């Protein structure tokens, strides 16, 4: 069973050992994310990810668990051992993204 995912367009960065690269978080959940990047990641690699969302800095280590070749191409990342601060920040971010989703649905119904 999969955790609810929320679409996003958040820009951030990733790090593999000493190499830093840009990423775009296309969706987020409590357990992981789907990112788009020019970097060629491989299954089972551990990556460090971070981004700012309003006043919250979210950073986490994660494991590459799958790659999508079709559009949107990118990588599925499973978060590993989030600290309490990261769990709290992620919960706030997901609440905000969930609110945007509800607002959009309301606006679509209202416009119909």
């Amino acid at each position: 069973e999969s955790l609810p995912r929320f679409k996003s367009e958040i820009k951030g960065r990733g790090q593999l050992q000493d190499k830093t690269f840009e990423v775009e978080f296309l969706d987020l959940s409590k357990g992981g994310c789907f990112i788009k990047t020019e970097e060629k990641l491989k299954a089972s690699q551990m990556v460090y990810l971070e981004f700012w969302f309003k006043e919250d800095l979210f950073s986490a280590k994660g494991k590459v668990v799958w790659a999508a070749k079709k559009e949107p191409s990118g990588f599925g990342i499973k978060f590993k051992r989030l600290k309490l601060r990261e769990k709290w920040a992620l919960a706030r971010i997901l609440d905000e993204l969930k609110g945007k989703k509800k607002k959009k649905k309301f606006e679509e119904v209202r416009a119909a």
Side-chain angles (χ1 to χ4, degrees):
E1 191 171 314
S2 158
L3 295 167
R5 296 190 165 275
F6 300 97
K7 296 216 179 291
S8 67
E9 296 174 352
I10 300 170
K11 304 269 190 235
R13 65 181 180 188
Q15 187 172 352
L16 266 177
Q17 294 145 3
D18 295 336
K19 186 175 186 179
T20 301
F21 51 93
E22 293 182 12
V23 301
E24 182 176 1
F25 293 80
L26 300 180
D27 75 32
L28 287 166
S29 76
K30 286 183 181 179
C33 60
F34 181 65
I35 61 169
K36 185 174 186 173
T37 181
E38 297 296 317
E39 189 66 27
K40 302 298 179 214
L41 302 177
K42 297 176 185 157
S44 297
Q45 275 185 313
M46 295 299 291
V47 296
Y48 174 81
L49 300 169
E50 71 177 16
F51 65 85
W52 280 96
F53 187 85
K54 297 189 177 180
E55 69 274 3
D56 291 313
L57 171 64
F58 177 75
S59 59
K61 287 184 182 178
K63 182 178 182 179
V64 179
V65 290
W66 58 276
K69 306 279 189 225
K70 297 179 186 176
E71 276 303 312
S73 61
F75 301 92
I77 309 292
K78 182 178 181 182
F79 297 139
K80 292 291 191 182
R81 296 188 196 110
L82 294 179
K83 295 177 183 167
L84 188 56
R85 187 182 74 72
E86 277 78 25
K87 287 180 183 179
W88 180 79
L90 184 57
R92 285 174 43 117
I93 294 162
L94 293 175
D95 282 347
E96 182 87 16
L97 294 174
K98 189 186 317 183
K100 285 183 182 178
K101 186 177 175 182
K102 286 180 181 176
K103 184 178 179 184
K104 186 175 180 182
K105 280 186 179 179
F106 175 74
E107 288 169 356
E108 288 170 358
V109 169
R110 221 172 130 197

